[in-house]
Amino acid sequence: MADLSCNFVGIRSPNPFWLASAPPTDKAYNVNRAFEAGWGGVVWKTLGIDPPVVNVSSRYGAVKLNGQRIAGLNNIELITDRPLAVNLKEITEIKRLWPDRAMIVSLMVPCDEASWKYILPMVEDTGADAVELNFGCPHGMSERGMGAAVGQVPDYVEMVARWVKQHSKLPCIVKLTPNITDIRTAARAAFKGGADAVSLINTINSITTVDLDLMAPTPTVDGKGTHGGYCGPAVRPIALNMVAEIARDPQTHGKPISGIGGIGTWRDAAEFMALGCGSVQVCTAAMHYGFRIVDDMIDGLNNWMDSKGYARLDDFVGKAVGNVTDWQFLTMNYAIKARIDPDMREVRPVPHRLAKTLRTRQSPGKRRVRFRRGDR
């Protein structure tokens, strides 16, 4: 079996599958269940400075594919609405119970040095392995000068990353917002400020649907709605592109990246890792299907690595980066075209017969009728 153990900027976990900062990581009960299911690590739901925020209800909307599968999820939930002391106590307990799992704490506080200097020692005292700076939340907190309001200004990204490295010994991961013209500028700023890694993408600013009876965006709160953060399978192509842009940028090439955005299978994870991600974070899929999906992710990645001869994660992490290029560098005289043989006999479709009756003996004097669909 391939070795799935992960060492990401000194953060060790038995596999690269982490739960992203979100509702599934908001309390000890959930995180304990996640670790029992086999997740390699969690990013604890974003902490702030008391008093806690107040969340509204409802908080979620969805875009469905053919009325069934969730293609994308929209949320207007803010950071944790639980007291800071309660979160810190539970983080300490969980890390003590699960010392081999990665425990990263997501943080969002006002954009001043004193606030970061205040909260960082308390997080260190929990035994956490690292902090993740939430510079991506596009709703609610950004209107308060935090979240994406910081992540969209490279100078602020660099400044806060530098504060965190000055006032904490923990590895620092900067979570980037996709709501920006060029993701590379924010990544460059993060590393310039001393960040150990970046994670991306955070949610995309969106209004997913409109309730045509209430004439308001969904989710609707007392007849009104607002823009929220979009995630899920539909954002994966956007996330892959942004990861690739950072991985192949000469200024950030080879820097550690934690991949986020619509990951729901082992193949999704492998694609992010092939583009340079040392770990991956999952949210929507865990909310949709439950914590046990990590079993399939672990087994699938193991089997694929064995079939390819990859003994460890580092054997294929970043392996696809060199094949990502700009359009003008593609080979112009290379083409893949269908070959049509005009001499082949034309095959016309046979009318579809809905069913064919097959008579089978059940017992003397009795007959059972069976229908088989799809005969042509």
Side-chain angles (χ1 to χ4, degrees), residues 14-305:
N15 61 65
F17 301 112
W18 300 350
L19 283 173
S21 170
T25 64
D26 69 337
K27 57 175 67 74
Y29 174 76
N30 283 341
V31 173
N32 189 64
R33 288 176 55 227
F35 285 159
E36 287 176 346
W39 290 90
V42 301
V43 183
W44 197 277
K45 184 171 171 63
T46 306
L47 307 184
I49 296 176
D50 289 338
V53 302
V54 177
N55 275 300
V56 296
S57 183
S58 62
R59 298 195 285 270
Y60 302 101
V63 173
K64 295 185 178 180
L65 184 64
N66 297 328
Q68 297 176 341
R69 181 169 178 246
I70 292 178
L73 190 68
N74 172 279
N75 85 89
I76 56 173
E77 184 164 313
L78 304 182
I79 65 174
T80 183
D81 53 10
R82 306 164 72 229
L84 177 61
V86 172
N87 278 294
L88 294 172
K89 180 175 180 292
E90 292 185 1
I91 292 168
T92 304
E93 293 172 353
I94 291 293
K95 186 58 185 177
R96 179 178 55 81
L97 291 173
W98 299 92
D100 66 324
R101 308 301 170 94
M103 173 63 74
I104 299 93
V105 178
S106 177
L107 297 175
M108 185 192 297
V109 300
C111 195
D112 61 75
E113 186 174 3
S115 295
W116 289 98
K117 187 176 181 180
Y118 168 75
I119 198 170
L120 286 165
M122 291 187 284
V123 175
E124 280 195 25
D125 289 344
T126 66
D129 299 298
V131 292
E132 183 181 79
L133 316 187
N134 186 342
F135 294 161
C137 185
H139 56 273
M141 304 307 295
S142 57
E143 290 89 331
R144 309 179 194 196
M146 294 179 274
V150 176
Q152 291 168 339
V153 184
D155 287 346
Y156 291 173
V157 173
E158 178 185 347
M159 177 178 67
V160 178
R162 184 169 284 112
W163 289 342
V164 172
K165 293 303 293 181
Q166 286 175 353
H167 298 297
S168 174
K169 297 178 181 179
L170 293 176
C172 169
I173 304 170
V174 172
K175 190 173 186 178
L176 302 177
T177 175
N179 305 297
I180 192 171
T181 304
D182 188 344
I183 194 70
R184 296 174 300 178
T185 60
R188 293 167 185 167
F191 288 117
K192 188 176 180 181
D196 299 280
V198 294
S199 59
L200 66 150
I201 59 174
N202 209 312
T203 52
I204 299 172
N205 220 348
S206 64
I207 290 178
T208 49
T209 55
V210 175
D211 188 316
L212 294 179
D213 293 318
L214 297 176
M215 283 297 172
T218 58
T220 305
V221 181
D222 194 24
K224 296 188 182 297
T226 186
H227 64 94
Y230 192 51
C231 57
V235 311
R236 186 169 61 249
I238 299 168
L240 285 170
N241 174 64
M242 290 188 170
V243 164
E245 287 297 284
I246 294 172
R248 70 190 187 97
D249 179 14
Q251 296 187 43
T252 55
H253 175 72
K255 297 289 188 180
I257 304 172
S258 185
I260 315 169
I263 299 169
T265 68
W266 71 264
R267 182 177 292 275
D268 298 335
E271 291 178 5
F272 273 83
M273 299 178 79
L275 288 175
C277 295
S279 69
V280 292
Q281 300 183 30
V282 179
C283 171
T284 306
M287 293 177 68
H288 192 188
Y289 299 108
F291 290 144
R292 300 300 307 184
I293 63 166
V294 75
D295 282 338
D296 291 338
M297 292 181 172
I298 292 171
D299 289 344
L301 188 60
N302 248 321
N303 294 336
W304 174 76
M305 289 176 63

Side-chain angles (χ1 to χ4, degrees), residues 347-355 374-376:
V347 180
R348 296 183 179 181
V350 177
H352 182 62
R353 291 161 55 185
L354 292 178
D375 293 326
R376 293 184 178 274

Side-chain angles (χ1 to χ4, degrees), residues 310-359:
Y310 298 133
R312 58 191 62 82
L313 299 178
D314 287 344
D315 290 347
F316 75 94
V317 168
K319 204 172 180 66
V321 175
N323 291 325
V324 182
T325 188
D326 294 329
W327 189 92
Q328 65 265 30
F329 300 124
L330 298 176
T331 303
M332 295 297 108
N333 60 357
Y334 180 81
I336 300 176
K337 298 178 181 178
R339 293 182 179 179
I340 301 174
D341 186 348
D343 295 328
M344 289 187 67
R345 183 175 65 87
E346 181 181 1
V347 180
R348 296 183 179 181
V350 177
H352 182 62
R353 291 161 55 185
L354 292 178
K356 180 180 179 181
T357 303
L358 299 175
R359 293 182 176 180

